[in-house]
Amino acid sequence: MSIKAAKASDRTGEADLHDRPAAEMRRRGACPALAAPMPTGDGLLVRLRPAGGALTLSQFASLARSAAAHGNGILEITARGNLQIRGLRAATVGPLAADIDAAEIIVPNGPAIETSPLHGIDPEEVSDPAAMEVALRSTLRDQLASPRLAPKLSLIIDGGGTFGLSALSADIRIVAQSPADWLVAINGDGETATPVAIGPAEAAISAVGEILSLLAALGQGRRARDIDPALLRARFPAMNGIRSIPSRAAGMPLAGLHRLEDRKTILGVRPEFGQMRAFDLVALLDLAADRGVTAIRLAPGRGFFLIGLPADTVPAMQIDAARHGFAAQPGENSEHIAACAGAGGCGSALYETRTLARRIIATAPALFDGSLTLHLSGCAKGCAHARPALTLTGSAVGYGLILNGLAADLPDERIAGGRIDFAIERLARALEDNKGAGESTAACLKRLGATGVSKALRQE
């Protein structure tokens, strides 16, 4: 049964965005939610996270159709598993919001709370993060709505299981330690965050409330890293004695067939570099519905899971997904590239990131052994990847190559715009010629260092 067209939505109640000051809409660090869309090179961008990161097929298709009707038909899934709709105008944000309401998609107010993507259906899950999110939002409703909190304040509730969230960094982490106990930690990922409290759900929620109070007292825009350690120890005197059980990182590729312990199958799907066209998404969802898929779960890693797909239909679904621009097989080189919207999609970008990404995949396979991430950033803001990586940052005269750093870091090498293909080929050749037996690309790149890479790029 194909997904039926979404019910026509009420166009009343359109948000009045025409008079909003441009400076407010361009505020650095702002999260482009429905109430405050962000101007980009192709119009306004809205980012949203449905409750629990879960959608029905009909809801996801309705979002795609609304993106085509009110934006430019481009949707994105971020590295954290949130949805972005591009190409909106001030006059179309309200109708988009009305469509979201008509599709009964719940987008909670306040900061986005990211939860384990397979919550409630993963038999290996330690405790249910969706239930914890509901309790947290109910108990701390007023604190979460405080305008003094940073717009991009990040919270994670990790219930454990097959696809844990320990690789994601957050201001506040709530991690299941047992069916009854939760760990609360701040400022970091599963390895680097500082534990502050552990206990049953009520105690964990109370600890989160304390942290939100500290952040609100610091003032708008402040993050967990800004909390004074002495003040933190005064609020949480037992924090130094906490021993935590780390959750499982999402180490396996998202794309491809995954079998859960109860023998159920799920199919991970990734749009190329996290970006998809509305008509391709609708076509894919129609095929998924015909094959018995019952639900969608958004996931970190710029993709989503198809839930309920019978195992015998997976090969055909993978073929159809590829036909519509989605990777549904593990091991695709695009998995190892983080590319921002690029020129044409963002007013700050200075080159077409996705076009270059495709050329690099075709001409420099030596870069993609899985040991490093290639970050293609149209400008120094580095929106697509917040961690050190092999980075190409756009500049007014070409590119900055950073061997292991952020887009805003000082380049190890500057490359003129017309020489980028040559430079990438030379870098790949240098890696192929210098890699030792069993040595990874990342290790070889580190060993070559800036001097070795510079020498390789200057060879004719």
Side-chain angles (χ1 to χ4, degrees):
M1 57 176 181
S2 296
I3 298 168
K4 291 181 171 56
K7 180 181 176 182
S9 60
D10 183 1
R11 302 307 185 198
T12 61
E14 182 175 334
D16 181 13
L17 300 173
H18 297 278
D19 298 325
R20 180 173 294 159
E24 178 187 341
M25 297 181 74
R26 289 180 170 81
R27 179 161 48 89
R28 285 295 298 274
C31 183
L34 275 167
M38 179 181 292
T40 67
D42 58 351
L44 298 177
L45 178 146
V46 160
R47 181 180 303 148
L48 56 91
R49 180 173 181 80
L55 293 165
T56 66
L57 275 74
S58 179
Q59 287 173 331
F60 206 6
S62 293
L63 270 179
R65 294 189 180 99
S66 190
H70 307 306
N72 61 9
I74 298 295
L75 299 93
E76 295 172 329
I77 304 180
T78 71
R80 302 182 74 90
N82 298 317
L83 271 173
Q84 296 186 158
I85 297 174
R86 306 192 68 92
L88 297 161
R89 303 187 311 280
T92 62
V93 175
L96 171 69
D99 285 355
I100 290 171
D101 285 343
E104 299 182 345
I105 298 170
I106 298 173
V107 181
N109 294 324
I113 298 178
E114 289 141 3
T115 53
S116 313
L118 301 183
H119 61 80
I121 58 176
D122 184 355
E124 295 186 63
E125 184 173 75
V126 178
S127 194
D128 184 4
M132 171 58 96
E133 179 183 359
V134 171
L136 189 77
R137 287 192 182 278
S138 175
T139 306
L140 305 178
R141 180 184 297 108
D142 292 341
Q143 286 181 275
L144 288 169
S146 171
R148 296 182 64 80
L149 295 178
K152 295 187 74 173
L153 184 75
S154 55
L155 294 90
I156 281 175
I157 304 178
D158 188 350
T162 305
F163 284 89
L165 301 179
S166 63
L168 287 187
S169 182
D171 289 286
I172 303 173
R173 308 180 62 82
I174 306 105
V175 184
Q177 302 292 283
S178 72
D181 287 329
W182 295 83
L183 169 78
V184 178
I186 67 166
N187 187 32
D189 59 23
E191 292 184 359
T192 63
T194 301
V196 298
I198 191 169
E202 296 80 4
I205 291 171
S206 177
V208 173
E210 288 284 333
I211 296 165
L212 293 175
S213 295
L214 289 173
L215 290 169
L218 285 173
Q220 188 176 25
R222 307 302 287 273
R223 308 291 291 271
R225 60 179 175 266
D226 300 315
I227 299 175
D228 186 292
L231 183 57
L232 194 66
R233 286 192 295 272
R235 291 288 185 100
F236 300 100
M239 61 182 283
N240 291 335
I242 294 175
R243 296 291 178 266
S244 64
I245 302 170
S247 70
R248 182 185 303 181
M252 67 182 77
L254 183 153
L257 173 65
H258 304 280
R259 298 182 186 275
L260 303 182
E261 275 197 348
D262 57 3
R263 298 187 179 180
K264 291 180 181 176
T265 59
I266 58 173
L267 182 64
V269 176
R270 293 178 68 254
E272 187 183 40
F273 313 122
Q275 191 175 89
M276 52 199 161
R277 296 172 295 183
F279 60 84
D280 280 323
L281 177 57
V282 171
L284 180 72
L285 294 174
D286 278 340
L287 291 166
D290 288 341
R291 294 195 171 102
V293 171
T294 57
I296 299 293
R297 293 294 181 89
L298 303 175
R302 297 184 172 86
F304 56 90
F305 291 114
L306 300 176
I307 310 299
L309 189 68
D312 60 352
T313 68
V314 167
M317 193 74 235
Q318 289 174 311
I319 292 170
D320 286 333
R323 187 160 51 88
H324 289 287
F326 297 83
Q329 300 273 9
E332 303 244 357
N333 287 342
S334 60
E335 289 179 8
H336 308 297
I337 296 179
C340 70
C346 176
S348 300
L350 296 164
Y351 71 96
E352 295 182 359
T353 54
R354 288 173 168 81
T355 300
L356 180 59
R358 296 182 190 103
R359 295 207 306 268
I360 292 174
I361 288 172
T363 61
L367 294 176
F368 304 107
D369 66 349
S371 65
L372 56 75
T373 295
L374 175 61
H375 178 193
L376 302 183
S377 183
C379 73
K381 288 189 293 185
C383 299
H385 194 70
R387 295 189 173 198
L390 176 61
T391 301
L392 274 172
T393 300
S395 74
V397 295
Y399 304 84
L401 177 64
I402 301 150
L403 299 185
N404 184 33
L406 306 177
D409 290 346
L410 189 68
D412 294 297
E413 187 73 19
R414 297 186 186 277
I415 303 167
R419 289 178 60 84
I420 186 61
D421 290 331
F422 171 84
I424 292 297
E425 289 175 9
R426 283 295 181 186
L427 177 60
R429 179 78 58 82
L431 290 167
E432 289 176 333
D433 292 346
N434 287 278
K435 279 175 71 171
E439 187 178 29
S440 70
T441 297
C444 182
L445 191 62
K446 182 178 180 180
R447 180 168 54 80
L448 286 175
T451 301
V453 169
S454 179
K455 180 180 178 181
L457 296 186
R458 282 165 170 70
Q459 291 177 348
E460 296 294 338

